[in-house]
Amino acid sequence: MQITQAHPLFAAELRGLDLPHPQDAETLDAIRAALATYGVVVIKDQDALDDDGQIAFSRAFGKLQTSISLHREDTARRVKRAELTDLSNVDADGKRIGADDTRRKLQLPGRLWHSDNSFRSPPGLYTFLHARVVPPEGGNTDFADMRAAYDALDEAMKLRLAGLKALHTLAWSREQVGAPPLSLQEAQNIPESVQPLIRVHPTTGRRSLYLSSHASHIDGMDLAEGRALLAELNAFATQAAFVYAHVWTAGDLVIWDNRCTMHRATPFPEEKYHRDMRRTSVEDTQAAVAA
Ligand code: OGA
Ligand code: MN
């Protein structure tokens, strides 16, 4: 396995892996170590990976989360496995779905900076996103290093944030992008969660900001004041120096650690091109480590 760093602060490309085949313990440990160091790893050339292979590989890293789309009554699922989240603009017949389709609207919160499943308890740990078909322009995924963002805060802000918690809910990120509100079934099955604003990585000991567009307000703080603080932190943490823009090649499998990175999807000409991306995620089994 060859590792090439992709950005001055974080993110790396891994080459020489063949994922449809089970990986030995040593290789899995090397991938886990790369994730701890780089936060985001891009495993190149995995064109042969299919739904079952992606699920089997992801499972080696923890307990799989099921897709929240299972709780939506008004949308048909194209992929059949409950562990897969479909982040595509194509339907079961391979036709492109329009931007006004409910399935596309439900994907819109992904355009805001976030940490996957931060609104669930336990939240997301690693996400695995596999590119089956990518558009020739646009449709990047941007990543931001929340360890570098934490390190760059001034001491007064670090002190102010210590011990603070944020309330995360999918209802808030949906509201910000004008996506459909939570259905009754979603509201019953996807409750809000409370997460620390600062986390300590259990492997590296590094502190990071734990932000997400699902974070609605700060626990115990006036709503407007909390939202203003979250907006200020989001802007600070996603400044250009902390961002790696991943330009996809079909066959890339990107894995990231949601405890110490944020990400967002970027737009592309949806009416012209297919984009077929499939996601698996494992849950964070360790209790969030508040600083
Ligand atoms: C998401 C997401 C990234 C992408 O929907 O959670 O992060 O590039 N998507 O599609
Ligand atoms: Mn995401």
Side-chain angles (χ1 to χ4, degrees):
M1 182 172 105
Q2 301 92 50
I3 304 183
T4 321
Q5 192 157 344
H7 178 277
L9 295 170
F10 72 131
E13 290 188 352
L14 309 188
R15 286 192 166 73
L17 292 163
D18 184 12
L19 293 192
H21 303 291
Q23 304 297 300
D24 56 43
E26 196 187 330
T27 305
L28 291 171
D29 280 345
I31 297 171
R32 283 188 202 101
L35 275 163
T37 305
Y38 300 104
V40 179
V41 303
V42 180
I43 306 185
K44 300 297 291 180
D45 307 318
Q46 302 307 319
D47 303 86
L49 196 63
D50 61 9
D51 291 353
D52 289 344
Q54 182 172 347
I55 287 170
F57 175 68
S58 311
R59 193 165 273 148
F61 293 80
K63 184 168 176 231
L64 287 169
Q65 295 179 302
T66 53
S67 175
I68 56 165
S69 66
L70 292 165
H71 304 299
R72 204 68 214 180
E73 313 81 347
D74 56 348
T75 53
R77 296 186 82 240
R78 175 176 66 126
V79 295
K80 292 301 163 222
R81 302 288 301 266
E83 300 90 342
L84 277 178
T85 297
D86 188 4
L87 293 179
S88 310
N89 67 333
V90 281
D91 68 13
D93 306 322
K95 290 203 210 65
R96 283 193 290 274
I97 52 178
D100 54 343
D101 189 286
T102 304
R103 284 167 292 184
R104 285 302 281 159
K105 286 193 179 148
L106 291 170
Q107 292 178 22
L108 285 175
R111 297 265 183 90
L112 304 177
W113 286 104
H114 65 283
S115 174
D116 280 333
N117 284 330
S118 66
F119 52 84
R120 293 169 97 172
S121 222
L125 198 175
Y126 301 127
T127 295
F128 306 74
L129 189 57
H130 188 230
R132 304 291 176 86
V133 179
V134 299
E137 48 178 307
N140 299 342
T141 307
D142 292 339
F143 293 92
D145 185 348
M146 294 297 104
R147 309 166 303 183
Y150 177 81
D151 291 345
L153 293 171
D154 61 39
E155 291 307 314
M157 184 59 103
K158 286 179 183 168
L159 274 175
R160 184 176 170 206
L161 301 182
L164 291 184
K165 293 181 161 73
L167 188 126
H168 295 242
T169 164
L170 183 57
W172 172 232
S173 46
R174 291 246 183 107
E175 188 183 325
Q176 291 175 80
V177 292
L182 295 188
S183 68
L184 198 59
Q185 198 183 330
E186 284 176 322
Q188 281 165 355
N189 287 282
I190 315 172
E192 56 200 32
S193 76
V194 176
Q195 310 287 352
L197 260 189
I198 296 168
R199 296 189 62 165
V200 180
H201 197 284
T203 311
T204 63
R206 286 189 73 180
R207 281 178 163 69
S208 57
L209 278 171
Y210 188 65
L211 301 171
S212 191
S213 60
H214 308 301
S216 158
H217 56 275
I218 310 263
D219 207 21
M221 200 181 277
D222 168 73
L223 179 73
E225 197 190 331
R227 283 200 177 148
L229 176 58
L230 289 167
E232 179 188 344
L233 292 172
N234 273 313
F236 179 82
T238 58
Q239 58 187 281
F242 304 145
V243 173
Y244 162 68
H246 182 63
V247 181
W248 291 91
T249 302
D252 288 350
L253 176 74
V254 180
I255 316 175
W256 60 87
D257 186 332
N258 286 291
R259 297 171 296 194
C260 57
T261 60
M262 276 208 291
H263 63 281
R264 67 172 176 188
T266 71
F268 68 100
E270 305 216 7
E271 58 306 328
K272 280 210 287 206
Y273 304 117
H274 277 47
R275 185 174 191 261
D276 187 342
M277 314 286 286
R278 297 169 196 219
R279 179 181 124 183
T280 42
S281 327
V282 299
E283 69 179 35
D284 190 1
T285 45
Q286 271 167 298
V289 191

